[in-house]
């Protein structure tokens, strides 16, 4: 039997649902102080996560989150067929060094802040195709490593414009599987199953690089909103759906300005998602009291919010069908210095509630 | 009196540069370069010395004053050594400031560790 | 779509984003910069006056002033206080010599994990390097003009 059907130009519908067996999220203290603080599995007060360098700290963070997700599914690392994971650092060292210790076959991904969407898309394709019964998808970001990689040393006294976002120190991981999450009366597992409900991936829309010639690296929302618009539009068009077919549409880290742009761009195309749109970057911090300006950002932002807040709600049945569309800004320090524009990308994943 | 002059002139220079930062999105590194170069040019044209005479530290502490220092050292070196002064003047003039920044910072790297922003 | 049409569209988008992007209140930011920069310069003036009272000449007093301000800035950077001053003061903490020292110290502290030579050694100049290069270069250029005018006896 065929695993799925390609729809339109960029979408796939999976004929057999891909089950989300478990999800885990670990964050830093600032995220723990935010509105979603009590939903995360663990909050580390030590921004170094016990390591000596920021990079090693992010590796530890991602490794711990991955192990936690595997444990919550009631599995051991040897049960996992492969890992799709990524982060924001050059050559994705946080993932490679973190995941290395698990000994699980690994694909490293770079999708900037859209990495969780990319990982879930590839993971779902692999599960649907029958290439593995359990596949792990993970992404992480760390405020300190991102500042170092893309901006200034931490001790440098600069002012951030109001359009700037705050990189989330956090990681999210999900185990995808071909069988429903087990219900475990012995409580040795803590799967993504609430009573008889669970969350499944039923389709994806792969994003394309979208470049509006925008160059302001301190206004990521402006760089990425066109990509989110393009992917959401493509998803609706390919599946022949309207926004009413979704209970909620989550973008990753557009922030306040990016959200405004996205709504405006979509309304130009006669699509109104005003009432169902949410942005993980706006959910994770309280902008008024936490001084994060435009909102949270980084792969860890959408990944941790998905694992801690969105997936449990879908499994509970609060939402029957949602679209998860994390966005990424595809720049490097070199491309930026050489005057290149900052193109964006967004990958959409359709997640639905299923009764078992 | 000299405290008041230093305060308002130094403050005014910073407030003007703030316009540059907020309105042009020039990154801090570029602004620092701009200030030092402008300081050197203004001093060479003889326009900066009057401000230094009036405001003291208000004119010499901002990076414009660093540019002035460079120009003064350059002029002195050329007057004394001629052509060779072109290559000794700049570094001689700023040697104390640059050495102090480098040495103190290196020592700081032994003592302190990077910390998260709040 | 032709290139000119595309450029026009990009420009329209940039203007639109600029319009909806909020910014800090400029007068408030300027006031904060004025206060911060003013206070740092006043402290500098105090050092100058103190040095003069010890009988030092102007040039030596100025050098001591730079040294002490740089030392303070490096210590405040290490204690993670200077970033907070910078966040409040903006240009007020960037423009004085203390801002230069902050950029050197922040890089030295941040990149110590990458080693003495390729970490601290190279990257200590990440932000301050351009200031030194273009400061030296511009004074050299001005020096050439001065030297030429001097040879041609335009100026004495």
């Amino acid at each position: 039997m065929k695993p799925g059907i390609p729809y339109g130009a960029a979408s796939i519908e999976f004929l057999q649902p891909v089950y989300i067996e478990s999800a885990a999220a670990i964050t830093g203290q600032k995220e723990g102080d935010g509105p979603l603080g009590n939903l995360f599995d663990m909050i580390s007060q030590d921004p170094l996560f016990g390591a000596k360098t920021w990079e090693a700290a992010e590796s530890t963070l991602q490794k711990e989150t991955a192990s936690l997700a595997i444990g919550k599914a009631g599995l051991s690392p040897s049960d996992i067929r492969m890992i799709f994971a990524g982060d924001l650092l050059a050559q994705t060292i946080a993932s490679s060094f973190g995941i290395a210790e698990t000994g699980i076959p690994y694909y490293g991904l770079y999708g900037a802040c859209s990495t969780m969407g990319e990982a879930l898309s590839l993971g779902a394709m692999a599960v649907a195709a029958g290439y593995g019964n359990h596949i792990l998808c993970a992404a992480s970001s760390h405020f300190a490593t991102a500042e170092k990689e893309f901006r200034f040393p931490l001790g440098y006294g600069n002012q951030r414009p109001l359009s700037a976002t705050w990189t989330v120190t956090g990681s999210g991981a999900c185990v995808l599987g071909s069988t429903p999450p087990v219900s475990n009366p012995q409580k040795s597992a803590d799967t993504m199953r609430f009573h008889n409900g669970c969350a499944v991936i039923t389709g994806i829309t792969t994003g394309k690089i979208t470049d509006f010639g925008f160059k302001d690296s301190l206004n990521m929302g402006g760089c990425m909103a066109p990509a989110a618009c393009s992917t959401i539009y493509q998803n609706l068009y390919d599946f022949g759906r309207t926004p009413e077919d979704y209970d909620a549409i989550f973008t990753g880290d557009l922030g306040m300005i990016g959200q405004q742009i996205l709504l405006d761009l979509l309304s130009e195309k006669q699509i109104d998602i005003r009432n169902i749109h949410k942005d993980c970057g706006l959910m994770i911090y309280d902008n008024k009291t936490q001084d994060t300006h435009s909102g949270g950002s980084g792969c860890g932002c959408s990944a941790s919010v998905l694992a801690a807040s969105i997936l449990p709600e879908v499994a509970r049945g609060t939402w029957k069908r949602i679209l998860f569309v994390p966005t990424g800004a595809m720049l490097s320090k070199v491309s930026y210095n050489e005057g290149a524009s900052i193109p964006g990308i967004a990958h959409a994943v359709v997640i639905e509630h299923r009764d078992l | 009196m000299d405290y008041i002059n230093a305060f308002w002139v130094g403050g005014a220079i910073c407030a003007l540069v703030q316009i540059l930062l907020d309105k042009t999105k020039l990154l801090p590194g570029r602004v620092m370069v701009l200030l030092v170069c402008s300081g050197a040019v203004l001093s060479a044209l003889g326009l900066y010395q009057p401000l230094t005479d009036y405001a003291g530290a208000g004119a010499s502490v901002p990076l414009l004053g660093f540019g002035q220092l460079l120009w003064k050292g350059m002029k002195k070196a050329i007057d004394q050594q001629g052509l060779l002064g072109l290559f000794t003047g700049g570094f001689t003039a700023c040697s104390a400031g640059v050495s102090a920044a480098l040495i103190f910072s290196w020592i700081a790297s032994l003592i302190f560790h990077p910390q998260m922003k709040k | 779509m032709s290139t000119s049409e595309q450029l026009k569209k990009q420009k329209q988008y940039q203007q639109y984003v600029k319009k909806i992007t909020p910014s800090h209140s400029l007068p408030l930011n300027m006031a904060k910069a004025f206060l911060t920069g003013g206070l740092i310069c006043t402290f500098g003036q105090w050092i100058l006056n103190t040095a003069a009272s010890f009988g030092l000449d102007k040039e030596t007093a100025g050098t001591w002033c730079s040294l002490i301000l740089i030392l303070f800035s490096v210590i405040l950077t290490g204690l993670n206080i200077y970033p907070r001053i910078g966040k409040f003061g903006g240009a007020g903490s960037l423009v004085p010599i203390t801002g230069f020292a902050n950029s050197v110290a922040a890089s030295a502290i941040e990149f110590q994990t990458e080693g003495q030579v390729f970490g601290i050694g190279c990257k200590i100049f990440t932000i301050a390097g351009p200031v030194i290069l273009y400061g030296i270069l511009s004074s050299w250029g001005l020096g050439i003009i001065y030297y030429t005018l001097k040879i041609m006896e335009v100026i004495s």
Side-chain angles (χ1 to χ4, degrees):
Chain A
M1 192 179 139
K2 272 172 78 177
I5 312 167
Y7 271 84
S11 302
I12 298 171
E13 184 184 33
F14 300 116
L15 295 175
Q16 294 297 317
V18 176
Y19 295 94
I20 295 170
E21 296 187 76
S22 72
I26 302 179
T27 66
Q29 187 62 48
K30 191 177 177 95
E31 295 68 27
D33 292 338
L36 303 180
N38 54 358
L39 299 178
F40 299 122
D41 294 292
M42 230 189 269
I43 293 157
S44 171
Q45 289 178 330
D46 175 15
L48 276 168
F49 293 86
K52 283 209 172 70
T53 68
W54 298 123
E55 289 72 19
E58 190 177 337
S59 292
T60 310
L61 165 65
Q62 197 179 109
K63 184 188 75 194
E64 291 299 326
T65 314
S67 311
L68 193 61
I70 296 169
K72 281 175 91 174
L75 301 170
S76 65
S78 57
D79 298 323
I80 306 292
R81 192 71 171 83
M82 57 182 117
I83 291 181
F84 292 97
D87 58 83
L88 287 179
L89 304 185
Q91 287 80 38
T92 56
I93 48 171
S95 303
S96 327
F97 285 78
I99 297 297
E101 289 174 39
T102 63
I104 303 169
Y106 155 73
Y107 285 109
L109 309 178
Y110 189 81
C113 310
S114 75
T115 303
M116 197 58 184
E118 191 179 359
L120 287 174
S121 300
L122 292 168
M125 281 197 268
V127 171
Y131 295 140
N133 286 331
H134 307 290
I135 283 174
L136 186 100
C137 306
S140 69
S141 57
H142 193 298
F143 178 80
T145 54
E147 286 295 302
K148 225 177 123 175
E149 173 81 26
F150 294 103
R151 296 181 194 101
F152 299 109
L154 289 171
Y156 189 57
N158 61 315
Q159 268 177 335
R160 299 164 56 248
L162 287 182
S163 59
T165 47
W166 189 280
T167 306
V168 165
T169 303
S171 172
C174 299
V175 177
L176 305 184
S178 52
T179 49
V182 290
S183 69
N184 199 317
Q186 290 90 36
K187 288 273 170 201
S188 67
D190 181 14
T191 56
M192 190 52 68
R193 176 172 176 144
F194 289 92
H195 303 294
N196 284 323
C198 69
V200 297
I201 297 177
T202 57
I204 58 168
T205 301
T206 307
K208 50 179 185 277
I209 300 279
T210 309
D211 191 352
F212 272 30
F214 198 68
K215 288 186 179 173
D216 185 356
S217 72
L218 287 171
N219 193 345
M220 287 298 184
C223 307
M224 305 186 298
C229 168
S230 145
T231 303
I232 292 171
Y233 179 79
Q234 190 73 47
N235 177 272
L236 296 174
Y237 184 84
D238 285 353
F239 286 112
R241 288 177 186 155
T242 63
E244 285 70 43
D245 292 320
Y246 291 105
D247 294 322
I249 293 179
F250 293 91
T251 47
D253 51 4
L254 290 181
M256 269 188 306
I257 297 158
Q259 180 178 44
Q260 172 80 47
I261 299 170
L262 174 66
L263 296 176
D264 286 354
L265 287 176
L266 279 172
S267 65
E268 271 176 31
K269 294 180 190 275
Q270 321 299 334
I271 295 170
D272 183 11
I273 61 164
R274 213 158 287 268
N275 296 321
I276 52 168
H277 179 255
K278 292 181 199 311
D279 185 67
C280 299
L282 293 173
M283 295 162 72
I284 196 165
Y285 296 122
D286 182 353
N287 271 343
K288 285 201 187 82
T289 58
Q290 295 192 293
D291 194 31
T292 46
H293 296 191
S294 195
S297 63
C299 337
C301 179
S302 56
S304 61
V305 173
L306 175 81
S309 165
I310 302 174
L311 289 178
E313 290 302 324
V314 174
R316 271 193 200 101
T318 317
W319 296 310
K320 297 294 180 199
R321 181 196 280 153
I322 62 126
L323 192 64
F324 176 64
V325 198
T327 52
M330 309 304 274
L331 83 161
S332 80
K333 242 184 167 170
V334 176
S335 72
Y336 178 75
N337 284 343
E338 290 179 348
S341 58
I342 305 172
I345 194 162
H347 297 292
V349 182
V350 183
I351 303 172
E352 292 183 33
H353 172 81
R354 273 299 143 87
D355 289 314
L356 297 167
Chain B
M1 191 60 208
D2 47 358
Y3 287 114
I4 295 169
N5 288 348
F7 180 78
W8 84 260
V9 172
I13 293 172
C14 295
L16 290 175
V17 174
Q18 186 72 43
I19 303 180
L20 206 64
L21 273 181
D22 283 9
K23 287 286 161 197
T24 63
K25 309 227 149 134
L26 275 181
L27 289 173
R30 296 216 173 103
V31 171
M32 289 187 357
V33 168
L34 199 69
L35 284 169
V36 171
C37 296
S38 324
V41 172
L42 288 174
S43 311
L45 296 172
L47 297 174
Y48 204 72
Q49 190 57 42
L51 194 66
T52 316
D53 293 338
Y54 175 74
S60 66
V61 170
L63 284 173
L64 288 167
F66 194 71
Q68 185 192 24
L69 196 69
L70 285 171
W71 165 249
K72 273 186 175 168
M74 179 59 75
K75 184 167 177 286
K76 195 172 154 194
I78 292 172
D79 287 342
Q80 287 173 356
Q81 301 172 289
L83 192 61
L84 196 60
L86 278 173
F87 296 91
T88 60
F91 270 116
T92 310
C94 69
S95 57
V98 173
S99 302
L102 290 177
I103 293 164
F104 293 154
S105 296
W106 185 82
I107 297 171
S109 78
L110 298 181
I111 304 168
F112 301 109
H113 292 283
Q115 289 172 58
M116 286 285 272
K117 275 205 165 100
K118 291 272 156 38
Chain C
M1 210 188 312
S2 71
T3 335
S4 66
E5 247 177 89
Q6 208 171 347
L7 279 175
K8 203 175 141 203
K9 238 186 140 180
Q10 290 185 354
K11 208 156 182 198
Q12 272 175 356
Y13 179 70
Q14 279 157 22
Q15 277 163 353
Y16 154 74
V17 175
K18 204 173 170 191
K19 204 180 84 201
I20 66 156
T21 302
S23 56
H24 291 287
S25 148
L26 184 58
L28 180 67
N29 262 5
M30 285 174 69
K32 286 178 181 169
F34 182 83
L35 183 70
T36 312
L39 285 175
I40 294 173
C41 292
T42 311
F43 180 52
Q45 188 65 42
W46 178 77
I47 302 171
L48 283 184
N49 290 359
T50 312
S53 72
F54 283 113
L56 297 177
D57 66 64
K58 257 192 169 169
E59 205 173 306
T60 320
T63 308
W64 275 110
C65 175
S66 302
L67 282 184
I68 292 166
L69 285 175
I70 287 168
L71 178 64
F72 267 86
S73 172
V74 171
I75 293 172
L76 290 178
T77 304
L79 295 173
N80 208 19
I81 295 170
Y82 207 86
R84 271 175 258 175
I85 302 176
K87 192 180 156 190
F88 173 83
S93 69
L94 171 77
V95 173
I97 188 92
T98 48
F100 173 76
N102 168 239
S103 74
V104 181
S107 306
I109 293 169
E110 185 69 78
F111 295 109
Q112 56 179 289
T113 54
E114 293 177 33
Q116 283 295 329
V117 175
F118 295 110
I120 301 176
C122 292
K123 294 186 176 171
I124 199 166
F125 293 107
T126 315
I127 309 170
V131 178
I132 298 175
L133 169 63
Y134 291 105
I136 293 292
L137 197 66
S138 61
S139 66
W140 179 79
L142 292 164
I144 288 185
I145 299 172
Y146 176 70
Y147 182 71
T148 316
L149 293 178
K150 221 178 145 179
I151 293 178
M152 290 161 66
E153 293 179 343
V154 181
I155 47 175
S156 56

